[in-house]
Amino acid sequence: MASYPLVAWVAFVVLLLSSSTLASAAIVQHYFNVQNLTLNRLCKEQVITAVNGNFPGPIISVHEGDTVFVHVFNKSPYNITIHWHGVSGISPWADGPSMITQCPIRTGHNYTYKFNIINQEGTLFWHAHEDWLRATVFGAIIIRPRPGHPYPFPKPTREIPIILGEWWNMSIIDVEDITLDSGGTPIPNTAFFINGLPGDLYPCSQNQMFKLNVKKGNTYLLRLINVGLDNTLFFKIANHNMTVVGIDGSYTTHYVTDVILIALGQTTDVLVTFNQPVGSYYMASSHYDVVPLVGENTTTRGVVVYDGADTSKTPLMPVLPSHIDTPTAHRFQSNLTGLTNGPHFVPVPSKVDQHMLFTVGLGLVPCTTNVTCAGPFGLELASSFNNASFVPPTSLSMLEAFYYNVSGIYTADFPDNPPTPFDYTNTSISLDRSLISTRKSTSVKKLKFNSTVEIAFQDTALLAYGIHHPIHLHGFSFHVLAQGFGNYDPIRDREKYNLVNPPYRNTILLPVGGWMVIRFTANNPGVWFLHCHLDVHMSWGMAMAFEVENGPTKSTKLPPPPLDLPKC
């Protein structure tokens, strides 16, 4: 070895390391045929939009470091885009939100999404991002460690996706059209489901219930995903504890609980050791919403069956929290922390370049479809950040406008703070006409490349107190530094910040009547969508976008668009 020059040995080692890295990464390809599918649920046949004739859709199973190609062929009667929810560092050309980063894939057309899975492990998911089609167009993304790299917990016997969502006994496009045309509240879902099956508490569903067969003493990794449009959910398994080990594609400090709270757009990985007496046990899910919509107070359930169980006996049923149990919801959220010694842990950036305060709530705009609407005062309901209700462009995507420097598609005037400070959570101001009028806009906030951004989200009591707001940022994961109830105080509440091991997420659930603070580094150039993951609120305008400027080098600038990028 000593006979070789040092530089040669260095080059040899670098080559070995490079070869090892390349060998541990793979190219994963999927073909998505989006088309009509007829299913029988809740006593009737229903035509839905689905992928490859499956509901839920295909699982994308990868290892960290892999490159994914998904070839989407739109054979449905609707425009479609696909969003890879929670994939950080993705190219914005592959991100998917319609008219934000691409024009939709029209009927009879196709588009190939390409993205890398880097520095993430755990569970994410994909879904449609055009109209409300994500009610039925969705599937899991499972990211395992690179080959030869272990989980930061004992390897489970099996890994099972548990996809929680909602079902309507009518076309979801009709649900959307009727809701938006009325200007009022949405049509509530007919049922909830686990892995596409509503469970035996619903009509005609005795044989449409998810069943998990287990062996006593084994530990399973359950990958929970909430793909719904409207509802944050509680989840329990009778007589079994769960250990949370991951959220939104990042690892957490182990947290033992008997109940999970999972908001729209969130994922939660839990270990469950099936150590109870041999028998059958229901897993069940119901909604959490302080002001629930009429008709949603139902429960979906599946069943866990131990090997050797007497299946003639009725399974044990868990006692689920009340739908207004905010203390349980807050306790779960506030007990999650990041795993500092785990793979891909990201320290909290200490220097903040941009502070922002976003008020989150309902508002009113003049009717656009009728003489009077179903909202208060005969007006149309709207949602907003800082009293700005987002309207997507129609002629060109915002990302293309950014890349080609096309003016007139959006404006760079999104406010850092609400236009008028007020007592945000005071219910006496809920119908104050001077506060609940919102403005329609297509605006962005410009961010310097590699700048660190801190946003305090503040719930408001405008129009309705107690509506939950799950907020999702595209393209980035972020640290959740603190949360609380009442009005956010930037001085007093800074003492509550966790700057050591905060949870690292892509979707937060804003506490009802409270606030939450996040921090992220804007190191991915392009246009990135921030929105409420409750679809009706996004449709009503609770959204905005960040324009992250190009970096100083070629590798930190937005690349050219793919040749097959759909045209408007």
Side-chain angles (χ1 to χ4, degrees):
M1 183 177 294
S3 62
Y4 287 87
L6 178 61
V7 67
W9 281 113
V10 170
F12 179 66
V13 170
V14 169
L15 179 62
L16 282 180
L17 290 174
S18 175
S19 300
S20 174
T21 300
L22 291 172
S24 66
I27 293 177
V28 178
Q29 300 216 45
H30 282 266
Y31 294 84
F32 280 14
N33 291 299
V34 184
Q35 54 199 357
N36 283 350
L37 173 67
T38 301
L39 292 180
N40 193 309
R41 294 287 188 274
L42 278 62
C43 311
K44 65 171 290 189
E45 288 192 340
Q46 178 67 49
V47 177
I48 65 170
T49 305
V51 173
N52 295 352
N54 294 312
F55 178 76
I59 296 173
I60 295 179
S61 182
V62 298
H63 292 92
E64 192 274 325
D66 287 352
T67 298
V68 181
F69 288 83
V70 182
H71 311 281
V72 177
F73 300 86
N74 186 9
K75 302 176 182 179
S76 81
Y78 309 109
N79 293 340
I80 198 78
T81 67
I82 305 293
H83 170 52
W84 317 99
H85 185 106
V87 177
S88 296
I90 192 171
S91 165
W93 299 114
D95 190 46
S98 181
M99 302 312 300
I100 311 301
T101 62
Q102 69 168 98
C103 299
I105 307 168
R106 303 197 179 278
T107 301
H109 292 258
N110 60 278
Y111 179 53
T112 295
Y113 292 93
K114 175 190 175 184
F115 54 94
N116 299 319
I117 304 290
I118 302 295
N119 296 328
Q120 287 184 289
E121 294 175 19
T123 306
L124 302 172
F125 69 107
W126 58 266
H127 62 81
H129 217 297
E130 170 77 15
D131 298 320
W132 292 7
L133 290 171
R134 70 179 175 92
T136 58
V137 180
F138 57 79
I141 300 175
I142 296 175
I143 309 169
R144 297 183 176 90
R146 291 179 186 243
H149 293 236
Y151 289 121
F153 47 77
K155 185 177 180 180
T157 304
R158 290 181 63 192
E159 302 178 19
I160 306 294
I162 302 291
I163 299 179
L164 307 174
E166 302 148 349
W167 181 267
W168 280 262
N169 257 352
M170 60 187 297
S171 161
I172 195 62
I173 297 299
D174 290 345
V175 172
E176 178 183 13
D177 289 344
I178 293 169
T179 298
L180 298 183
D181 287 347
S182 75
T185 55
I187 298 171
N189 58 294
T190 314
F192 297 103
F193 62 72
I194 297 174
N195 288 345
L197 301 171
D200 60 350
L201 292 177
Y202 295 105
C204 307
S205 301
Q206 187 66 36
N207 297 318
Q208 295 190 347
M209 182 167 61
F210 174 68
K211 181 180 179 182
L212 177 60
N213 293 307
V214 303
K215 184 176 181 180
K216 182 177 173 66
N218 285 350
T219 297
Y220 285 21
L221 176 63
L222 304 186
R223 299 177 177 273
L224 305 177
I225 308 169
N226 185 345
V227 301
L229 302 190
D230 290 340
N231 292 276
T232 291
L233 298 168
F234 288 117
F235 176 85
K236 293 186 75 171
I237 303 174
N239 283 22
H240 288 77
N241 283 331
M242 296 170 279
T243 301
V244 179
V245 295
I247 51 173
D248 290 4
S250 68
Y251 292 116
T252 62
T253 306
H254 294 187
Y255 172 55
V256 179
T257 178
D258 70 339
V259 60
I260 301 296
L261 177 82
I262 185 164
L264 296 163
Q266 290 185 335
T267 69
T268 304
D269 294 339
V270 299
L271 294 174
V272 184
T273 299
F274 292 102
N275 54 9
Q276 295 301 300
V278 170
S280 299
Y281 301 83
Y282 281 120
M283 60 173 68
S285 180
S286 62
H287 75 299
Y288 162 63
D289 197 344
V290 177
V291 284
L293 299 171
V294 175
E296 290 185 342
N297 194 16
T298 61
T299 299
T300 179
R301 64 187 185 185
V303 64
V304 174
V305 180
Y306 281 62
D307 287 355
D310 182 353
T311 55
S312 67
K313 293 184 177 179
T314 302
L316 292 177
M317 178 68 182
V319 178
L320 289 159
S322 161
H323 68 79
I324 59 173
D325 192 346
T326 293
T328 294
H330 181 67
R331 181 168 58 252
F332 179 84
Q333 284 206 128
S334 58
N335 273 296
L336 299 176
T337 55
L339 187 63
T340 56
N341 60 349
H344 318 300
F345 175 77
V346 178
V348 181
S350 56
K351 180 180 177 293
V352 177
D353 302 295
Q354 178 75 57
H355 290 273
M356 306 180 76
L357 173 66
F358 285 8
T359 50
V360 179
L362 289 175
L364 296 172
V365 293
C367 272
T368 55
T369 56
N370 302 304
V371 177
T372 60
C373 282
F377 309 113
L379 298 175
E380 185 173 300
L381 287 169
S383 296
S384 68
F385 293 135
N386 286 348
N387 277 66
S389 290
F390 182 81
V391 180
T394 57
S395 61
L396 189 70
S397 76
M398 297 172 74
L399 183 62
E400 289 175 279
F402 169 73
Y403 181 80
Y404 293 111
N405 197 26
V406 178
S407 61
I409 303 299
Y410 62 84
T411 58
D413 59 353
F414 188 84
D416 292 351
N417 297 283
T420 304
F422 59 98
D423 188 0
Y424 304 115
T425 55
N426 184 346
T427 55
S428 68
I429 51 88
S430 63
L431 294 177
D432 188 328
R433 296 290 291 270
S434 68
L435 297 174
I436 57 179
S437 294
T438 72
R439 65 179 180 88
K440 296 283 189 177
S441 70
T442 307
S443 58
V444 304
K445 170 65 181 178
K446 282 191 173 185
L447 300 176
K448 294 288 186 183
F449 178 79
N450 222 32
S451 61
T452 296
V453 182
E454 183 174 297
I455 308 173
F457 293 96
Q458 174 67 62
D459 190 21
T460 67
L462 298 177
L463 287 184
Y465 178 79
I467 295 178
H468 65 286
H469 297 295
I471 299 170
H472 172 54
L473 175 60
H474 288 229
F476 302 91
S477 292
F478 48 75
H479 294 97
V480 183
L481 302 185
Q483 58 186 293
F485 295 98
N487 294 335
Y488 172 70
D489 186 317
I491 298 175
R492 180 194 63 215
D493 290 327
R494 195 163 296 274
E495 298 175 358
K496 302 174 184 176
Y497 282 19
N498 178 356
L499 300 175
V500 178
N501 63 343
Y504 199 51
R505 308 210 70 142
N506 61 64
T507 306
I508 59 169
L509 180 65
L510 189 60
V512 170
W515 53 269
M516 186 171 283
V517 179
I518 71 168
R519 189 180 292 181
F520 70 98
T521 300
N523 54 9
N524 196 357
V527 177
W528 299 104
F529 206 29
L530 175 80
H531 64 92
C532 182
H533 222 261
L534 200 159
D535 262 27
V536 70
H537 281 292
M538 184 172 68
S539 297
W540 284 344
M542 191 175 287
M544 55 84 64
F546 291 108
E547 179 194 280
V548 180
E549 297 177 355
N550 282 305
T553 64
K554 182 179 179 180
S555 64
T556 58
K557 296 182 187 298
L558 177 65
L563 295 178
D564 63 339
L565 188 72
K567 305 299 181 184
C568 288

